[in-house]
Amino acid sequence: MEIFVNGQARQVPAGMTVAELLKLLRIETRHVAVEVNLELVPRTQHPQHKLVDHDQLEIVTLVGGG
């Protein structure tokens, strides 16, 4: 199925969860926010939230520094 991650089209297996996508993208989950179709998905819901064809995701990571 096709989803869009931060504006980029990406092919992923059907039924993939947010948690599985983050693992596939090698994104550390401690400091990340995920929005699916303009709705924030709480971190506790990442393992259960299944993605569907044409979902629009925004993945934002926190960066420290000064």
Side-chain angles (χ1 to χ4, degrees), residues 6-24:
N6 295 348
Q8 299 284 330
R10 178 176 283 273
Q11 294 292 324
V12 297
M16 178 171 265
T17 66
V18 170
E20 291 167 337
L21 177 65
L22 293 174
K23 185 175 181 178
L24 176 73

Side-chain angles (χ1 to χ4, degrees), residues 17-66:
T17 66
V18 170
E20 291 167 337
L21 177 65
L22 293 174
K23 185 175 181 178
L24 176 73
L25 298 176
R26 297 181 180 166
I27 295 176
E28 172 58 51
T29 59
R30 266 190 12 220
H31 303 294
V32 69
V34 180
E35 188 179 87
V36 178
N37 301 323
L38 304 177
E39 290 190 28
L40 183 65
V41 178
R43 187 174 301 131
T44 57
Q45 295 296 313
H46 289 182
Q48 295 88 15
H49 190 100
K50 290 189 184 275
L51 301 171
V52 297
D53 202 28
H54 301 292
D55 269 349
Q56 304 273 336
L57 288 87
E58 290 296 324
I59 300 174
V60 180
T61 57
L62 300 176
V63 178

